[in-house]
């Protein structure tokens, strides 16, 4: 019996055959972004990742046999490819590395190194003498940022999760200070290691650690938001709160101060004392003392140059500002309650008192009844008779 081999048409011709090569993996990379991309993979897919590989056979002159290449081939030992790109970029041939380890192509000379280099120099635009905080400091990216920052004349503060990594960063990489976020209270230690505040922040972790560091940053600082690894394993990551209400208020106050200074230098204004509050019948000695204290705290906030003390003055000022407002409200209410009480048998006098409380913009007539607001309360008054508060 004769057995025939039949060659079937499996797919249509499309241009020329691809010029492919066969490569064998030498180093395979593991990176945090894989944790984020994993949900997009199907079970059974080749796991994603870059690799350094050696070309074993080739029908493509761009990838000669014996050369080392970097490609996004995934976690596999052998790959047939034509070198065309993926969303992660194309395959490229490595230059001669001499004595350097080829693994550098996936580290300091590869994606993490480039991330550190451009994320630090281009985004943070460092200046000699500044203080930088780096989270994920012992990682592939953070450890390079720290070394670049030292070379640029910065004070470098790293944040890491073990004493062993802390020692390595200080003793071998030359970091000035390293905090172990698992054993130290970051909020307490930061003012001690960065007494002048933090100018630059290279953020690899996001979440709570970043929230704490942001509280210690100087105004007009720069942040390079590189990654948020603290949330990659979380179902509901907390995220980073880049601005809180206090920061907005402080920035607003500074902005007002600065614009007032500019306006005053062009068209100086004469200072006049606003005595309106002082003339209110319910403005007494207690309010006067509280208001004076409030104004002192505001002046201290305005003139203070130290970011930590400035925040403290602002918080104390807010307490006194709210206290003055609340005390004024209470005294005003007491004043009118007394007045109404003492006039309860004298409708004419009571009506006169009430009229002083009615502002044009906050009263309404419904039938014969006036509705108006005293502080937060809606008060109705019917001219024919009743008075309901
Ligand atoms: N924007 C971009 O193009 C790129 C962004 N990245 C991002 O940069 C960051 C670092 O990447 P890379 O250096 O390659 O990663 P590495 O895996 O080398 O290092 C990550 C470090 O993060 C720390 N870490 C892990 N979990 C936490 C946590 N819950 N809280 C605080 N720290 C934690 C670990 O250190 P420890 O033991 O000290 O906790 C570890 O050293 C990642 O967020 C990554 O996604 C990376 C490359 C490119
Ligand atoms: C939202 C993702 C932030 C992750 C930060 C990070 O690690 C980025 C790494 C990039 C690196 O420069 C080279 C890459 O390929 C990484 C990008 C990965 C993008 C993940 C997109 C997630 C998705 O599939 O939607």
């Amino acid at each position: 019996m004769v057995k025939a081999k039949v060659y079937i048409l499996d797919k249509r011709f499309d241009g020329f055959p691809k010029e492919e090569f066969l490569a064998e993996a030498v180093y395979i990379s593991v990176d945090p972004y894989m944790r984020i991309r994993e949900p997009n993979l199907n079970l059974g897919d080749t796991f994603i990742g870059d690799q350094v590989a050696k070309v074993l056979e080739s029908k493509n002159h761009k990838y000669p046999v014996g050369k080392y290449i970097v490609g996004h081939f995934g976690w596999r030992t052998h790959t047939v490819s034509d070198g065309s790109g993926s969303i992660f970029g194309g395959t490229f041939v490595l230059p001669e590395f001499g004595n350097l380890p080829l693994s550098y192509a996936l580290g300091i000379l590869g994606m993490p190194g480039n991330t550190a280099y451009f994320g630090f120099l281009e985004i943070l635009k460092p200046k000699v003498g500044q203080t930088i905080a780096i989270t994920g400091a012992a990682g592939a990216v953070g450890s390079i940022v720290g070394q670049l920052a030292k070379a640029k004349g910065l004070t470098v503060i790293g944040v890491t999760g073990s004493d062993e990594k802390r020692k390595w960063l200080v003793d071998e990489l030359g970091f000035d200070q390293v905090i172990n976020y698992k054993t130290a209270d970051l909020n307490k230690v930061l003012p001690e290691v960065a007494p002048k505040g933090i100018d630059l922040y290279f953020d690899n972790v996001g979440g709570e650690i970043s929230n704490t560091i942001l509280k210690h940053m100087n105004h007009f600082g720069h942040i390079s938001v590189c990654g948020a690894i603290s949330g990659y394993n979380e179902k509901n990551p907390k995220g980073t709160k880049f601005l809180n209400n206090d920061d907005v208020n402080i920035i607003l106050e500074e902005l007002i101060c600065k614009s007032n200074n500019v306006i005053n230098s062009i068209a100086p204004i004469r200072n006049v004392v606003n005595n309106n509050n002082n003339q209110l019948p319910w403005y007494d000695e207690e309010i006067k003392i509280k208001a004076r204290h409030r104004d002192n705290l505001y002046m201290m906030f305005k003139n203070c140059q130290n970011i930590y003390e400035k925040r403290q003055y602002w918080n104390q000022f807010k307490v006194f500002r709210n206290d003055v407002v609340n005390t004024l409200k209470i005294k005003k209410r007491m004043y009118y309650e007394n007045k109404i009480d003492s006039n309860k048998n004298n409708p004419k006098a009571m009506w006169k008192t009430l009229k002083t409380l009615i502002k044009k913009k906050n009263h309404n007539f419904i039938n014969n009844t006036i509705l108006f607001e005293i502080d937060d309360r809606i008060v109705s008054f019917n001219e024919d008779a009743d008075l309901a508060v």
Side-chain angles (χ1 to χ4, degrees):
M1 185 158 94
V2 178
K3 277 193 181 168
K5 259 191 181 171
V6 177
Y7 292 86
I8 57 161
L9 182 64
D10 186 42
K11 57 182 178 192
R12 304 236 164 251
F13 291 113
D14 178 15
F16 290 98
K18 287 181 178 166
E19 297 177 330
E20 292 175 329
F21 59 85
L22 168 68
E24 181 178 27
V26 183
Y27 291 103
I28 291 177
S29 176
V30 184
D31 298 285
Y33 74 83
M34 294 166 177
R35 186 64 185 81
I36 302 164
R37 288 194 62 82
E38 176 271 321
N40 297 342
L41 297 176
N42 296 313
L43 293 179
D45 284 356
T46 304
F47 199 78
I48 51 170
D50 283 342
Q51 60 171 255
V52 174
K54 186 176 183 181
V55 179
L56 299 182
E57 291 175 28
S58 181
K59 290 185 177 153
N60 188 323
H61 69 280
K62 286 192 212 149
Y63 304 96
V65 172
K67 284 282 181 189
Y68 289 95
I69 58 177
V70 170
H72 193 78
F73 300 149
W75 289 3
R76 53 191 298 149
T77 59
H78 292 82
T79 305
V80 173
S81 166
D82 65 352
S84 57
S86 65
I87 54 161
F88 297 93
T91 304
F92 58 92
V93 177
L94 289 176
E96 275 309 314
F97 266 40
N99 290 333
L100 293 178
L102 286 167
S103 61
Y104 280 13
L106 300 175
I108 190 157
L109 299 176
M111 185 273 280
N114 279 284
T115 304
Y117 187 88
F118 293 105
F120 173 61
L121 292 173
E122 300 279 310
I123 310 271
L124 295 183
K125 303 202 186 314
K127 293 189 192 75
V128 178
Q130 287 183 315
T131 299
I132 184 173
I134 305 165
T135 48
V141 177
S143 60
I144 300 168
V145 174
Q147 293 172 78
L148 291 171
K150 277 317 301 170
K152 282 279 173 192
L154 274 68
T155 299
V156 179
I157 293 160
V159 180
T160 190
S162 86
D163 287 340
E164 197 186 347
K165 291 182 183 178
R166 183 174 177 272
K167 193 167 164 11
W168 176 65
L169 291 170
V170 174
D171 294 351
E172 292 190 38
L173 302 196
F175 279 52
D176 295 284
Q177 302 278 349
V178 177
I179 305 168
N180 181 341
Y181 67 88
K182 288 184 183 158
T183 54
D185 179 349
L186 207 54
N187 199 35
K188 198 165 152 277
V189 177
L190 276 173
E192 291 160 20
V193 296
K196 286 189 280 170
I198 292 161
D199 304 300
L200 309 175
Y201 174 35
F202 197 98
D203 182 7
N204 281 315
V205 305
E208 272 312 307
I209 293 178
S210 289
N211 287 339
T212 305
I213 290 175
L214 292 180
K215 281 198 232 156
H216 296 269
M217 284 201 71
N218 293 328
H219 293 164
F220 310 108
H222 291 187
I223 305 172
S224 190
V225 181
C226 177
I229 199 168
S230 70
Y232 293 176
N233 285 331
E234 305 290 333
K235 278 224 165 69
N236 301 304
K238 280 204 188 108
T240 311
K241 246 182 128 186
F242 281 97
L243 275 181
N244 61 42
N245 291 344
D246 275 3
D247 291 333
V248 174
N249 286 334
I250 291 174
I251 291 166
L252 188 66
E253 288 299 332
E254 293 241 320
L255 208 62
I256 292 168
C257 279
K258 280 193 175 19
S259 53
N260 280 348
N261 287 345
V262 173
I263 294 166
N264 281 343
S265 69
I266 300 163
I269 48 166
R270 208 155 43 93
N271 283 334
V272 288
V273 180
N274 179 354
N275 276 328
N276 283 354
N277 267 348
N278 302 6
Q279 286 163 4
L280 297 170
W282 52 88
Y283 196 95
D284 62 9
E285 197 55 27
E286 184 192 348
I287 301 176
K288 207 164 149 185
I289 291 168
K290 285 181 175 175
R292 201 180 303 133
H293 204 76
R294 174 202 61 191
D295 295 343
N296 282 342
L297 284 166
Y298 187 72
M299 286 315 289
M300 276 142 100
F301 157 76
K302 223 169 108 173
N303 297 331
C304 180
Q305 295 303 318
N306 177 297
I307 184 72
Y308 302 113
E309 287 171 13
K310 204 173 180 70
R311 283 215 167 96
Q312 275 169 4
Y313 286 136
W314 175 255
N315 286 332
Q316 288 170 18
F317 159 73
K318 273 196 317 186
V319 171
F320 272 84
R321 181 195 60 191
N322 294 345
D323 194 21
V324 169
V325 170
N326 287 336
T327 316
L328 271 169
K329 272 187 182 175
I330 291 166
K331 300 267 168 165
K332 179 181 174 187
R333 181 162 292 165
M334 278 164 57
Y335 170 84
Y336 277 104
E337 275 171 4
N338 281 342
K339 218 157 180 193
I340 289 169
D341 202 43
S342 58
N343 285 326
K344 55 177 179 239
N345 296 323
N346 184 351
K348 209 171 168 186
M350 187 180 309
W351 179 233
K352 203 174 158 198
T353 304
L354 285 169
K355 268 189 169 168
T356 62
L357 280 169
I358 302 170
K359 287 187 212 126
K360 264 198 179 137
K361 58 175 188 251
N362 69 359
H363 74 270
N364 268 316
F365 276 99
I366 298 177
N367 298 328
N368 264 350
T369 305
I370 302 174
L371 294 176
F372 55 91
E373 260 181 77
I374 301 176
D375 295 333
D376 303 335
R377 288 193 293 175
I378 299 289
V379 176
S380 70
F381 180 70
N382 186 298
E383 278 203 72
D384 295 336
D386 68 325
L387 177 76
V389 177

